[in-house]
Amino acid sequence: PIETVGRSVGRRIRPRADKMFEDIERAWHQVDGYGQVCGRLASKLVPLLCGKHKPTYQPQRDMGDYVVVTNVAKTVHTGKALDQKRYYRHSGYAGGLSYVTLRQLIASNPLEPLRRAVYGMLPKNKLREQRMRRLRLYPGAEHSHGAQFKPGLPAFTAEFDHKDSPAV
């Protein structure tokens, strides 16, 4: 624009009052993983992390909420998955392919199978790591996010099927 005394000529740029640029309100969801099948539980968590349950969902924006999952160590794995499912990695050298079974992975870190399942189900784009940072996993019933669930507001506690199935 051309600036003169008391006058501007040209385009005036106004800030956009658009829903595209408004702040995102993030809620906290608490999910009990006791007796849940690991993959089925992961498929319920992904829409919460992406924000697909909101009417203002936009796929190009990170609209998701925080998800706290307790009792992750007591999730169930069906069939022969404990011995037959393998997690592969490669060192980059010739012949450097190695794997660990699901049973070994649970023994070393009981949170890792659910974390990997959710990670694999999220869209493969730049928002993936950002969404994973909002997933909080805990092996037992206690977690450190009690302050986020305010007493005045109803905390969302998701309870899915398979509640009475035996935990591993």
Side-chain angles (χ1 to χ4, degrees):
I2 302 168
E3 299 292 328
T4 59
V5 178
R7 183 175 175 200
S8 66
V9 178
R11 246 181 160 185
R12 290 185 186 161
I13 299 174
R14 282 181 273 162
R16 293 181 72 174
D18 195 353
K19 288 191 175 189
M20 176 84 176
F21 297 101
E22 69 184 17
D23 290 334
I24 300 162
E25 293 181 17
R26 299 196 191 279
W28 285 75
H29 304 284
Q30 183 174 356
V31 178
D32 186 12
Y34 181 82
Q36 306 289 332
V37 178
C38 184
R40 290 173 189 253
L41 177 60
S43 67
K44 304 279 187 185
L45 300 178
V46 168
L48 295 175
L49 292 170
C50 293
K52 283 194 157 191
H53 61 290
K54 296 183 178 181
T56 57
Y57 171 71
Q58 297 169 344
Q60 73 275 16
R61 292 191 72 201
D62 189 13
M63 307 285 290
D65 295 337
Y66 290 90
V67 179
V68 178
V69 186
T70 56
N71 292 319
V72 175
K74 296 184 177 126
T75 55
V76 176
H77 303 277
T78 57
K80 300 178 183 177
L82 286 172
D83 298 316
Q84 290 183 353
K85 183 162 182 60
R86 296 177 174 181
Y87 294 94
Y88 291 95
R89 68 179 182 276
H90 200 284
S91 66
Y93 292 98
L97 184 67
S98 61
Y99 67 88
V100 63
T101 63
L102 179 58
R103 189 180 299 275
Q104 294 166 337
L105 189 66
I106 290 172
S108 64
N109 184 1
L111 308 178
E112 192 64 16
L114 183 62
R115 190 197 69 77
R116 287 190 186 199
V118 171
Y119 186 79
M121 291 182 192
L122 281 171
K124 282 71 174 171
N125 57 25
K126 293 180 179 182
L127 301 175
R128 191 184 206 186
E129 295 296 331
Q130 205 172 320
R131 289 170 173 159
M132 281 300 291
R133 280 194 287 272
R134 287 196 310 276
L135 177 66
R136 312 293 167 89
L137 303 176
Y138 292 94
E142 292 80 29
H143 62 84
S144 60
H145 302 289
Q148 307 302 331
F149 301 102
K150 298 177 179 74
L153 298 173
F156 177 80
T157 305
E159 292 187 13
F160 305 120
D161 298 337
H162 307 290
K163 197 66 176 163
D164 54 350
S165 64
V168 175

